[in-house]
């Protein structure tokens, strides 16, 4: 149940997002996906129930959904033409609301392309390419 009163009726939408890959804005982007997960385990002592919790490593995942023209543009920056040979870069996802709200940035650090697969079918009028990334960490909600 949402107990926060409706202020202006606007929530984040795709049009509010700007994505920078290595500092360059992506115009041929159709989607961005990122997450992090931390190992959290119960610690047992006397009795049957946990006496505390321990936190372990954090793992991150990210991917971009780009139009093929954007993929080709990025690949042209590589000496081999392969996205995997571009090296390490950061991705900044900025949430920029229309109203005078605060701009919030999520930064996906130390990204590298790990795989590229292009799949055409008869009748396709454009091509979206899902590209997984390897990343080290995500900085959430940077103002």
């Amino acid at each position: 149940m949402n107990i926060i009163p409706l202020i202006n009726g606007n929530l984040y939408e795709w049009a509010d997002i700007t994505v920078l890959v290595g500092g360059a804005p992506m115009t041929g982007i159709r989607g961005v996906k990122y997450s992090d997960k931390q190992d959290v385990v119960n610690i047992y002592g006397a009795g049957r129930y946990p006496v505390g919790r321990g936190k372990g490593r954090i793992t991150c995942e990210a991917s971009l959904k780009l139009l093929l023209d954007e993929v080709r543009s990025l690949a042209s920056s590589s000496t081999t033409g392969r996205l995997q040979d571009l090296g390490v870069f950061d991705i900044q996802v900025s949430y920029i609301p229309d109203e005078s709200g605060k701009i919030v940035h999520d930064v996906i650090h130390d990204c590298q392309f790990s795989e590229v697969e292009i799949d055409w079918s008869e009748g396709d009028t454009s091509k979206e390419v899902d590209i997984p990334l390897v990343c080290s960490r995500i900085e959430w909600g940077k103002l």
Side-chain angles (χ1 to χ4, degrees), residues 6 10 33-35 37 42 45 50 56 61 64-65 72 94-95 99-100 102 110-111 114-115 117 119 124-125 133 142:
L6 183 66
N10 294 327
K33 183 177 179 180
Y34 51 102
S35 66
K37 178 174 131 179
N42 285 328
E61 293 183 359
L64 295 174
K65 184 179 291 190
R72 295 285 186 220
S94 299
Y95 296 83
E99 304 301 319
S100 60
K102 293 180 181 176
D110 307 317
C111 297
S114 61
E115 175 185 339
E117 179 180 353
D119 177 21
D124 287 347
T125 58
L133 297 158
K142 184 177 176 183

Side-chain angles (χ1 to χ4, degrees), residues 4-13 16 97-102:
I4 299 173
L6 183 66
I7 304 297
N8 61 11
N10 294 327
L11 300 174
Y12 287 124
E13 55 198 16
D16 295 337
D98 283 339
E99 304 301 319
S100 60
K102 293 180 181 176

Side-chain angles (χ1 to χ4, degrees), residues 21 26 64 66 69-78 83 86 113 131:
V21 173
M26 295 286 101
L64 295 174
L66 302 174
D69 290 344
E70 193 77 58
V71 173
R72 295 285 186 220
S73 177
L74 282 169
S76 70
S77 300
S78 168
L83 290 180
L86 280 176
F113 293 109
I131 306 174

Side-chain angles (χ1 to χ4, degrees), residues 11 14 27 38 50 53 59 95 106-107 113 115 123 135:
L11 300 174
W14 178 251
T27 56
Q38 184 169 22
R53 291 219 167 97
T59 56
Y95 296 83
D106 293 338
V107 182
F113 293 109
E115 175 185 339
C135 54

Side-chain angles (χ1 to χ4, degrees), residues 79-138:
T79 57
T80 63
R82 298 178 71 241
L83 290 180
Q84 296 93 324
D85 295 333
L86 280 176
V88 177
F89 54 89
D90 288 345
I91 295 175
Q92 179 176 298
V93 182
S94 299
Y95 296 83
I96 306 170
D98 283 339
E99 304 301 319
S100 60
K102 293 180 181 176
I103 299 173
V104 177
H105 310 281
D106 293 338
V107 182
I108 310 164
H109 289 280
D110 307 317
C111 297
Q112 215 167 355
F113 293 109
S114 61
E115 175 185 339
V116 179
E117 179 180 353
I118 299 173
D119 177 21
W120 281 99
S121 298
E122 191 281 325
D124 287 347
T125 58
S126 67
K127 178 48 54 195
E128 290 180 351
V129 182
D130 289 314
I131 306 174
L133 297 158
V134 175
C135 54
S136 66
R137 64 187 175 94
I138 299 172

